[in-house]
Amino acid sequence: MATNGKAENGVTEEIPALPFPQPAKIQDIHHTKLFINNEWHISSKGRTFPTVNPATGVKICDIQEADKADVDKAVEAAKAAGERSAPWRKMDVSSRGRLLHKLADLIERDRVFLAAGFPPGVVNILPGFGPLAGAALASHMDVDKVAFTGSTAVGQLIKETAARSNLKRVTLELGGKNPCIVFADSDLRLAVEETQKGAFYNQGQCCTAASRVFVEESVYEEFVRLSVASAKSLVTGDPLDPRTSHGPQIDRKQFDKIMQLIESGKKEGALLECGGRAVDDTGLFIQPTVFSGVKDHMRIAKEEIFGPVQCIFSFKCLPEVIDRANSTKYGLVAAVFTKDMDRALSVSSALEAGTVWVNCYNALHAQTPFGGYKMSGNGRELGEYALAEYTEVKAITIKLSNNL
């Protein structure tokens, strides 16, 4: 995944590399309670739920389970924090910025644990918001916003509930069935590398997963061959080991859903090129899976899998592939691979997605707005657009005396 501070993001100055992380072990668990209003609380009904290490199947600890009363308490605390008399509202912009940077430093300090299983640099996104937040907060001070990330089904429920709740605004960043279009003139090895980063990043458990790859007919077979070789080279193992490039799924329910969709792909006639099986009986590992010969009507072509499954389609002409890429209820991200920049720009404009990457994938920046079309959500995260989502603009008009 491309991240802030790398040359491909337009940064040319030399930035010292972080020390390569060493294999980490899960530390002693100190906090398992609900964190509300800067304090740790037992849930109102005293219920807990287990957290299991998906790599081993071993329970890590029991966590307090919030109930409606706990959520209400947290909401009241959040409202109180936004009152005019609250410390945050009285704080000047520079002080707010310093707190954001302090939070970023703490996240960077514990990045090995917070980003277990993610590529290095995944926590770079927060420091980039410092200057943006300072500038925006200087002119927009009132905040009245709720944001959620989740599935489209959950997002629909949230939106319906919000509509019955005094016109509460919500930002929804939801699902995706994201198309990549690979033209014959592209750098094929680059296209394979980037689309597989998109397909297998975080074991496919990502709203931006590159789950539909459309490849021009003349290079289709070569693209499939290179994709299979690349998928087989991934290293499966403990996500806390830096040598690992492919970890476990998040839980048994998701594991079972992915395996069911893989079986549906085989039954509906897609060709399983590699993977498609569980790795062992202890953890929730699924082999990186590549399907070729995928057709638009298949379940794996239409449903968000949220697992390590790459679906490769073929196409003949430009109008056809644009129609097929847009033929989905989702519209989060897309990608185009070609050396023809005129074509790249025209195709990017035609694709119904909130973000389009050209000759790259998952190139996210704190300064660039991110969000979806259609059922992939409402509003934008990141960039100044995101800060505007969380603020209210106020116009104050003063009539001046005409005594001059």
Side-chain angles (χ1 to χ4, degrees), residues 252-290:
R252 173 59 64 177
K253 182 179 179 181
Q254 184 61 25
F255 177 94
D256 291 341
K257 175 191 172 185
I258 296 165
M259 294 304 295
Q260 288 170 6
L261 282 166
I262 289 173
E263 287 303 310
S264 78
K266 293 190 289 186
K267 289 178 181 178
E268 291 182 321
L271 179 59
L272 180 63
E273 296 281 357
C274 68
R277 295 189 297 274
V279 175
D280 57 43
D281 296 328
T282 55
L284 300 176
F285 294 91
I286 296 175
Q287 295 173 330
T289 300
V290 177

Coordinates of all heavy atoms in Angstrom, one line a residue, residues 252-290:
R252 N -14.3 -16.6 12.9 CA -14.8 -17.8 12.3 C -16.0 -17.5 11.3 O -16.1 -18.1 10.3 CB -15.3 -18.8 13.4 CG -16.0 -20.0 12.9 CD -15.2 -20.8 11.9 NE -14.0 -21.4 12.5 CZ -13.2 -22.2 11.9 NH1 -13.4 -22.5 10.6 NH2 -12.1 -22.7 12.5
K253 N -16.8 -16.5 11.7 CA -18.0 -16.2 10.9 C -17.5 -15.7 9.5 O -18.1 -16.1 8.5 CB -18.9 -15.2 11.6 CG -20.1 -14.8 10.8 CD -20.9 -13.8 11.6 CE -22.2 -13.3 10.8 NZ -23.0 -12.3 11.6
Q254 N -16.6 -14.8 9.5 CA -16.1 -14.3 8.2 C -15.3 -15.4 7.4 O -15.5 -15.4 6.2 CB -15.2 -13.1 8.5 CG -14.6 -12.4 7.2 CD -15.8 -11.8 6.4 OE1 -16.8 -11.5 6.9 NE2 -15.5 -11.7 5.1
F255 N -14.6 -16.2 8.1 CA -13.9 -17.3 7.5 C -14.9 -18.2 6.7 O -14.6 -18.5 5.6 CB -13.1 -18.1 8.6 CG -12.4 -19.3 8.1 CD1 -11.1 -19.3 7.7 CD2 -13.1 -20.5 8.0 CE1 -10.4 -20.4 7.3 CE2 -12.4 -21.7 7.6 CZ -11.1 -21.6 7.2
D256 N -15.9 -18.6 7.4 CA -16.9 -19.4 6.8 C -17.6 -18.8 5.6 O -17.9 -19.4 4.6 CB -18.0 -19.8 7.8 CG -17.4 -20.8 8.9 OD1 -16.4 -21.4 8.7 OD2 -18.0 -20.9 10.0
K257 N -17.9 -17.5 5.7 CA -18.5 -16.8 4.6 C -17.6 -16.8 3.3 O -18.1 -17.0 2.2 CB -18.8 -15.3 5.0 CG -19.4 -14.5 3.8 CD -19.4 -13.0 4.2 CE -19.8 -12.2 3.0 NZ -19.7 -10.7 3.3
I258 N -16.3 -16.5 3.6 CA -15.4 -16.5 2.4 C -15.3 -17.9 1.8 O -15.3 -18.0 0.5 CB -14.0 -16.1 2.9 CG1 -14.0 -14.6 3.5 CG2 -12.9 -16.2 1.8 CD1 -12.8 -14.2 4.3
M259 N -15.2 -18.9 2.6 CA -15.1 -20.3 2.0 C -16.4 -20.6 1.3 O -16.3 -21.3 0.2 CB -14.9 -21.3 3.2 CG -13.5 -21.2 3.9 SD -12.1 -21.2 2.7 CE -12.3 -22.9 2.2
Q260 N -17.5 -20.2 1.7 CA -18.8 -20.5 1.0 C -18.8 -19.8 -0.4 O -19.2 -20.3 -1.4 CB -20.0 -20.0 1.8 CG -20.3 -20.8 3.0 CD -21.3 -20.2 4.0 OE1 -21.9 -19.2 3.6 NE2 -21.5 -20.8 5.1
L261 N -18.3 -18.5 -0.4 CA -18.2 -17.8 -1.7 C -17.2 -18.4 -2.6 O -17.4 -18.5 -3.8 CB -17.9 -16.3 -1.4 CG -19.1 -15.5 -0.9 CD1 -18.6 -14.2 -0.4 CD2 -20.1 -15.3 -2.1
I262 N -16.1 -18.9 -2.1 CA -15.1 -19.6 -2.9 C -15.8 -20.9 -3.5 O -15.6 -21.2 -4.8 CB -13.9 -20.0 -2.1 CG1 -13.1 -18.8 -1.8 CG2 -13.0 -21.0 -2.9 CD1 -11.9 -19.0 -0.8
E263 N -16.5 -21.6 -2.8 CA -17.2 -22.8 -3.3 C -18.3 -22.4 -4.3 O -18.4 -23.1 -5.3 CB -17.9 -23.6 -2.1 CG -17.0 -24.3 -1.2 CD -16.1 -25.3 -2.0 OE1 -16.7 -26.1 -2.8 OE2 -14.9 -25.3 -1.8
S264 N -18.9 -21.3 -4.1 CA -19.9 -20.8 -5.1 C -19.2 -20.5 -6.4 O -19.8 -20.8 -7.5 CB -20.7 -19.6 -4.6 OG -19.9 -18.4 -4.7
G265 N -18.0 -19.9 -6.4 CA -17.3 -19.6 -7.6 C -17.0 -20.9 -8.4 O -17.1 -20.9 -9.6
K266 N -16.5 -21.9 -7.7 CA -16.2 -23.2 -8.4 C -17.5 -23.8 -9.0 O -17.5 -24.3 -10.1 CB -15.6 -24.1 -7.4 CG -14.2 -23.7 -6.9 CD -13.4 -24.7 -6.2 CE -14.0 -25.0 -4.8 NZ -13.2 -26.0 -4.0
K267 N -18.6 -23.8 -8.2 CA -19.8 -24.4 -8.7 C -20.4 -23.6 -9.9 O -21.0 -24.2 -10.8 CB -20.8 -24.4 -7.6 CG -20.5 -25.5 -6.5 CD -21.5 -25.4 -5.4 CE -21.2 -26.4 -4.3 NZ -22.2 -26.4 -3.2
E268 N -20.2 -22.3 -10.0 CA -20.8 -21.5 -11.0 C -19.9 -21.5 -12.3 O -20.2 -20.8 -13.3 CB -21.1 -20.1 -10.6 CG -22.2 -20.1 -9.6 CD -22.6 -18.6 -9.1 OE1 -21.6 -17.8 -8.9 OE2 -23.8 -18.3 -9.0
G269 N -18.7 -22.1 -12.2 CA -17.9 -22.3 -13.4 C -16.7 -21.5 -13.5 O -16.0 -21.5 -14.6
A270 N -16.3 -20.7 -12.5 CA -15.0 -20.0 -12.6 C -13.9 -21.0 -12.4 O -14.1 -22.0 -11.7 CB -15.0 -18.9 -11.5
L271 N -12.7 -20.7 -12.9 CA -11.6 -21.6 -12.9 C -10.7 -21.2 -11.7 O -10.2 -20.1 -11.6 CB -10.8 -21.5 -14.1 CG -9.5 -22.4 -14.2 CD1 -9.9 -23.9 -14.0 CD2 -8.8 -22.2 -15.5
L272 N -10.6 -22.1 -10.7 CA -9.8 -21.9 -9.5 C -8.3 -22.1 -9.9 O -7.9 -23.3 -10.1 CB -10.2 -22.8 -8.4 CG -9.4 -22.7 -7.1 CD1 -9.5 -21.3 -6.5 CD2 -9.8 -23.8 -6.1
E273 N -7.6 -21.0 -10.1 CA -6.2 -21.1 -10.5 C -5.2 -21.5 -9.4 O -4.3 -22.2 -9.6 CB -5.8 -19.8 -11.1 CG -6.5 -19.4 -12.4 CD -6.0 -20.1 -13.6 OE1 -5.0 -20.9 -13.5 OE2 -6.6 -19.9 -14.7
C274 N -5.5 -21.0 -8.2 CA -4.7 -21.4 -7.0 C -5.4 -21.0 -5.7 O -6.4 -20.2 -5.7 CB -3.3 -20.7 -7.1 SG -3.4 -18.9 -6.8
G275 N -5.0 -21.6 -4.6 CA -5.6 -21.3 -3.3 C -6.9 -22.0 -3.2 O -7.2 -23.1 -3.6
G276 N -7.8 -21.3 -2.4 CA -9.2 -21.8 -2.3 C -9.4 -22.7 -1.1 O -10.5 -23.2 -0.9
R277 N -8.3 -22.9 -0.3 CA -8.4 -23.8 0.8 C -7.9 -23.2 2.1 O -7.2 -22.2 2.1 CB -7.6 -25.1 0.5 CG -8.1 -25.9 -0.6 CD -7.4 -27.3 -0.7 NE -6.0 -27.1 -0.9 CZ -5.5 -27.0 -2.1 NH1 -6.2 -26.9 -3.2 NH2 -4.1 -26.9 -2.2
A278 N -8.4 -23.8 3.2 CA -7.8 -23.4 4.5 C -6.4 -23.9 4.6 O -6.0 -24.9 4.1 CB -8.7 -23.9 5.7
V279 N -5.6 -23.1 5.4 CA -4.2 -23.5 5.5 C -3.9 -24.6 6.5 O -3.2 -25.5 6.4 CB -3.3 -22.2 5.8 CG1 -1.9 -22.6 6.1 CG2 -3.4 -21.2 4.7
D280 N -4.6 -24.4 7.7 CA -4.5 -25.5 8.7 C -5.7 -25.5 9.6 O -6.7 -24.8 9.3 CB -3.2 -25.2 9.6 CG -3.3 -23.8 10.2 OD1 -4.3 -23.4 10.7 OD2 -2.2 -23.1 10.2
D281 N -5.7 -26.3 10.6 CA -6.9 -26.5 11.4 C -7.0 -25.6 12.7 O -8.0 -25.7 13.4 CB -7.0 -28.0 11.8 CG -7.2 -28.9 10.7 OD1 -7.8 -28.5 9.7 OD2 -6.7 -30.1 10.7
T282 N -5.9 -24.9 12.9 CA -5.9 -24.1 14.2 C -6.3 -22.7 14.0 O -7.2 -22.2 14.6 CB -4.5 -24.2 14.8 OG1 -3.5 -23.7 13.9 CG2 -4.2 -25.6 15.2
G283 N -5.6 -22.0 13.1 CA -5.9 -20.6 12.8 C -6.9 -20.4 11.7 O -7.4 -21.4 11.1
L284 N -7.3 -19.2 11.5 CA -8.3 -18.9 10.5 C -7.7 -18.4 9.2 O -8.0 -17.3 8.6 CB -9.3 -17.8 11.0 CG -10.0 -18.2 12.3 CD1 -10.9 -17.0 12.8 CD2 -10.9 -19.4 12.0
F285 N -6.7 -19.2 8.7 CA -6.0 -18.8 7.5 C -6.6 -19.4 6.2 O -7.0 -20.6 6.2 CB -4.5 -19.4 7.6 CG -3.7 -18.7 8.6 CD1 -3.7 -19.3 9.9 CD2 -3.0 -17.6 8.4 CE1 -2.9 -18.7 10.9 CE2 -2.2 -17.0 9.4 CZ -2.2 -17.6 10.6
I286 N -6.8 -18.6 5.2 CA -7.3 -19.0 3.9 C -6.2 -18.7 2.9 O -5.6 -17.6 2.8 CB -8.6 -18.3 3.5 CG1 -9.7 -18.7 4.5 CG2 -9.0 -18.7 2.1 CD1 -11.0 -18.0 4.2
Q287 N -5.8 -19.6 2.0 CA -4.8 -19.4 1.0 C -5.2 -18.2 0.1 O -6.4 -18.1 -0.3 CB -4.6 -20.7 0.2 CG -4.1 -21.8 0.9 CD -4.1 -23.1 0.0 OE1 -4.9 -23.2 -0.9 NE2 -3.1 -24.0 0.3
P288 N -4.2 -17.4 -0.3 CA -4.5 -16.4 -1.4 C -5.1 -17.1 -2.6 O -4.5 -18.1 -3.1 CB -3.1 -15.8 -1.7 CG -2.4 -16.0 -0.4 CD -2.8 -17.3 0.1
T289 N -6.3 -16.7 -3.0 CA -7.0 -17.4 -4.0 C -7.2 -16.6 -5.3 O -7.5 -15.4 -5.2 CB -8.4 -17.7 -3.4 OG1 -8.2 -18.5 -2.3 CG2 -9.3 -18.5 -4.4
V290 N -7.0 -17.2 -6.4 CA -7.1 -16.5 -7.7 C -8.1 -17.3 -8.6 O -7.9 -18.5 -8.8 CB -5.8 -16.4 -8.5 CG1 -6.0 -15.8 -9.9 CG2 -4.8 -15.6 -7.7

